[in-house]
């Protein structure tokens, strides 16, 4: 293990090491999204395929950027590799140099937390976006068969609601996937509060299956009011 580490450190310049670490984590995550039983049941096949294609495109892009410039431009997944590597050296190999150092400084903690955000939300938001897109596509296809009398507020509501969700989930998916200084979408900080994380995660699968047992959800999105004028 020590020989491999020395060889790895001597052969690869720093920028290549970071990209190699990033690539390793991305490939492991893609394998997890493709083959874990939870994601196999939760994610649509289109989502898994799109996720895999996005991962491959990203890997190609980041290696081209690494080979052609000195600038580092990553999703910061490499930090997960570094944390695991440092933890292994500190607690299992009893490395004296690592033992005297903190595994994470404040900047690295922010990066790691946002990596967890991306790991969790990218597949979830992609799945929502694809599902919403399919619903909207189906509704717009059916519009050509509508008669004038079919354009009631109830039917308009059924079109507007999924369209709103499609815009909403697409916007956040873009934010999780793309970090750009030009767009001002780089990560500045991540909330470190445990309570905030628990409350947020409780709203999304698989955790919302537990939270809705504690707080039952009785809302029905397509309920309309009487008299009809109130709906307008």
């Amino acid at each position: 293990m020590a020989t491999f580490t020395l060889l790895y450190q001597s052969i690869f310049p720093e920028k290549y090491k970071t990209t190699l670490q990033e690539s390793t984590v991305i490939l492991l995550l893609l394998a997890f999204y493709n083959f874990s039983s939870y994601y196999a049941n939760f994610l649509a096949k289109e989502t898994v395929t799109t996720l895999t294609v996005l991962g491959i495109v990203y890997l190609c892009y980041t290696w081209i950027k690494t080979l052609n410039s000195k600038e580092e431009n990553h999703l910061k997944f490499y930090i997960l590799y570094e944390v695991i590597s440092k933890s292994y050296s500190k607690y299992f190999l009893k490395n004296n140099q690592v033992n005297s150092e903190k595994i994470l400084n404040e900047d690295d903690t922010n990066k790691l937390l946002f990596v967890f955000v991306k790991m969790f939300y990218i597949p979830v938001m992609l799945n929502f976006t694809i599902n919403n897109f399919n619903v909207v596509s189906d509704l717009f296809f059916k519009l050509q068969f509508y008669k004038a009398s079919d354009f009631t507020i109830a039917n308009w509501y059924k079109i507007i609601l999924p369209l709103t969700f499609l815009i909403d989930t697409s916007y956040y998916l873009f934010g999780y996937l793309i970090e750009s200084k030009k767009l001002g979408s780089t990560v500045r900080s991540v909330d470190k509060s445990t309570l905030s994380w628990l409350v947020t995660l409780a709203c999304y699968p698989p955790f919302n299956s537990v939270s809705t047992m504690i707080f039952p959800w009785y809302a029905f999105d397509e309920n309309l009011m009487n008299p009809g004028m109130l709906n307008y």
Side-chain angles (χ1 to χ4, degrees), residues 29 33 39 51 75-77 79-80 108-126 172-179 185 187-193 196-198 200-201 204-205 207:
L29 283 172
Y33 296 142
Y39 280 108
L51 204 54
L75 286 172
K76 300 183 177 67
F77 281 98
I79 195 70
L80 192 59
D108 287 341
T109 301
N110 279 333
K111 289 179 184 176
L112 182 64
L113 288 174
F114 199 64
V115 163
F116 287 142
V117 169
K118 287 182 175 182
M119 284 167 55
F120 181 78
Y121 281 106
I122 286 175
V124 169
M125 283 298 161
L126 181 60
Y172 287 106
L173 175 64
F174 183 86
Y176 292 128
L177 286 173
I178 307 294
E179 281 190 65
S185 59
V187 180
R188 292 172 178 80
S189 64
V190 181
D191 195 330
K192 298 181 181 68
S193 163
S196 297
W197 276 74
L198 289 174
T200 305
L201 292 174
Y204 293 90
F207 306 105

Side-chain angles (χ1 to χ4, degrees), residues 38-215:
Y38 167 69
Y39 280 108
N41 293 323
F42 170 61
L43 299 180
K45 287 183 180 179
E46 295 166 275
T47 305
V48 176
T49 303
T50 307
L51 204 54
T52 304
V53 170
L54 285 172
I56 293 169
V57 168
Y58 170 72
L59 288 175
C60 293
Y61 167 78
T62 196
W63 273 105
I64 291 168
K65 285 283 288 184
T66 301
L67 293 169
N68 290 339
S69 71
K70 294 181 180 179
E71 181 186 357
E72 281 192 7
N73 194 0
H74 300 99
L75 286 172
K76 300 183 177 67
F77 281 98
Y78 65 86
I79 195 70
L80 192 59
Y81 183 99
E82 288 186 357
V83 169
I84 294 170
S85 177
K86 286 180 181 177
S87 299
Y88 180 79
S89 296
K90 183 169 185 174
Y91 297 111
F92 292 95
L93 298 182
K94 305 296 182 184
N95 186 312
N96 291 329
Q97 182 181 351
V98 177
N99 279 339
S100 61
E101 298 174 358
K102 281 186 175 182
I103 291 177
L104 289 172
N105 58 34
E106 187 173 351
D107 184 49
D108 287 341
T109 301
N110 279 333
K111 289 179 184 176
L112 182 64
L113 288 174
F114 199 64
V115 163
F116 287 142
V117 169
K118 287 182 175 182
M119 284 167 55
F120 181 78
Y121 281 106
I122 286 175
V124 169
M125 283 298 161
L126 181 60
N127 203 54
F128 287 165
T129 301
I130 289 174
N131 287 340
N132 289 328
F133 178 79
N134 290 337
V135 171
V136 170
S137 298
D138 185 55
L139 286 168
F140 275 98
F141 173 76
K142 289 177 180 176
L143 276 178
Q144 63 185 310
F145 304 109
Y146 273 31
K147 304 171 192 173
S149 59
D150 291 329
F151 286 94
T152 61
I153 190 167
N155 284 332
W156 276 118
Y157 189 82
K158 289 178 182 178
I159 295 168
I160 292 169
L161 189 67
L163 184 60
T164 304
F165 282 138
L166 174 61
I167 294 167
D168 171 73
T169 53
S170 300
Y171 178 83
Y172 287 106
L173 175 64
F174 183 86
Y176 292 128
L177 286 173
I178 307 294
E179 281 190 65
S180 167
K181 290 178 182 177
K182 292 179 182 178
L183 296 174
S185 59
T186 53
V187 180
R188 292 172 178 80
S189 64
V190 181
D191 195 330
K192 298 181 181 68
S193 163
T194 304
L195 180 61
S196 297
W197 276 74
L198 289 174
V199 169
T200 305
L201 292 174
C203 300
Y204 293 90
F207 306 105
N208 62 352
S209 60
V210 176
S211 53
T212 51
M213 289 171 62
I214 302 169
F215 306 104

